[in-house]
Amino acid sequence: MLRFEEAYPELEEQRLISERDKQFDQSSTEHIQVQLAAAVEQRDAVYAQAAAYLELASKISVVQDNKLNSFKSLVNLGSDFFVQAKVPETSMVFVNVGMQLHVEMTLPEAQAFAADKQLQLTAQADSLTKRIADLKMRLALHGLRQQQQTEQHSSSSAAAQQLLLAS
């Protein structure tokens, strides 16, 4: 008695092609998911930076509005470990301009720098948000394609079973 694969080699070839396509789609989906996770992580980091510059601008505004010459503040040393710090002179401030490089600036300079940096980071976040939306759309399209291939495969399997029963 002939095996199904021997009796209908074109159906077996279609099945092998379908399996290969399914493996490729699975690999593509996993690759897109990795890219999506990386983009979300980058965007979150950009939002965190933007929040830090917003906080800087806010604190500078408080110092300027209240005409403070000195003040006390709680400083986070890391891991939510805070210490009290006394700032004796408020005319200049050190600002992290990137790459852990700190530059001493006057309050108006620091406020202008923070505003410019916020604009730059907002544009970067918007770009990442568009990339995330694109990746999500690609994932959805991959899912639809896989569903369509599964439906085609099940209908061709049903046709093959009909042929086998008819033999």
Side-chain angles (χ1 to χ4, degrees):
M1 181 170 186
L2 285 174
R3 290 182 19 201
F4 178 78
E5 295 86 11
E6 295 168 346
Y8 301 99
E10 64 278 351
L11 291 176
E12 178 62 16
E13 185 177 327
Q14 265 185 340
R15 186 186 69 75
L16 291 173
I17 290 171
S18 175
E19 286 297 318
R20 186 193 67 216
D21 288 348
K22 198 180 292 182
Q23 288 174 346
F24 176 76
D25 280 343
Q26 182 69 24
S27 173
S28 295
T29 299
E30 289 171 1
H31 180 70
I32 293 170
Q33 287 172 337
V34 167
Q35 287 180 328
L36 178 61
V40 168
E41 191 174 313
Q42 284 178 325
R43 184 185 63 182
D44 290 348
V46 168
Y47 281 150
Q49 283 182 318
Y53 283 106
L54 180 63
E55 183 181 1
L56 172 65
S58 173
K59 287 183 179 183
I60 290 172
S61 291
V62 168
V63 169
Q64 288 178 328
D65 292 346
N66 295 321
K67 297 181 172 120
L68 298 175
N69 293 325
S70 67
F71 64 91
K72 289 182 181 180
S73 177
L74 288 177
V75 178
N76 188 352
L77 296 179
S79 300
D80 289 333
F81 182 74
F82 291 88
V83 295
Q84 190 172 32
K86 182 174 185 336
V87 179
E89 165 67 59
T90 62
S91 64
M92 301 291 276
V93 64
F94 283 96
V95 178
N96 182 353
V97 295
M99 306 279 291
Q100 295 304 315
L101 179 64
H102 294 79
V103 175
E104 189 175 20
M105 298 180 185
T106 64
L107 294 180
E109 290 172 338
Q111 207 164 27
F113 176 80
D116 289 345
K117 194 69 171 177
Q118 279 181 286
L119 288 174
Q120 175 193 1
L121 291 170
T122 300
Q124 190 176 354
D126 290 346
S127 172
L128 286 167
T129 299
K130 288 177 186 173
R131 174 151 172 73
I132 289 167
D134 179 53
L135 290 169
K136 285 181 178 180
M137 185 171 28
R138 286 175 54 194
L139 268 178
L141 290 175
H142 270 277
L144 289 173
R145 186 180 314 133
Q146 286 176 341
Q147 183 180 5
Q148 183 181 28
Q149 287 174 348
T150 302
E151 289 171 359
Q152 287 175 349
H153 179 67
S154 63
S155 66
S156 66
S157 293
Q161 286 177 350
Q162 294 279 338
L163 284 174
L164 188 59
L165 291 174
S167 303

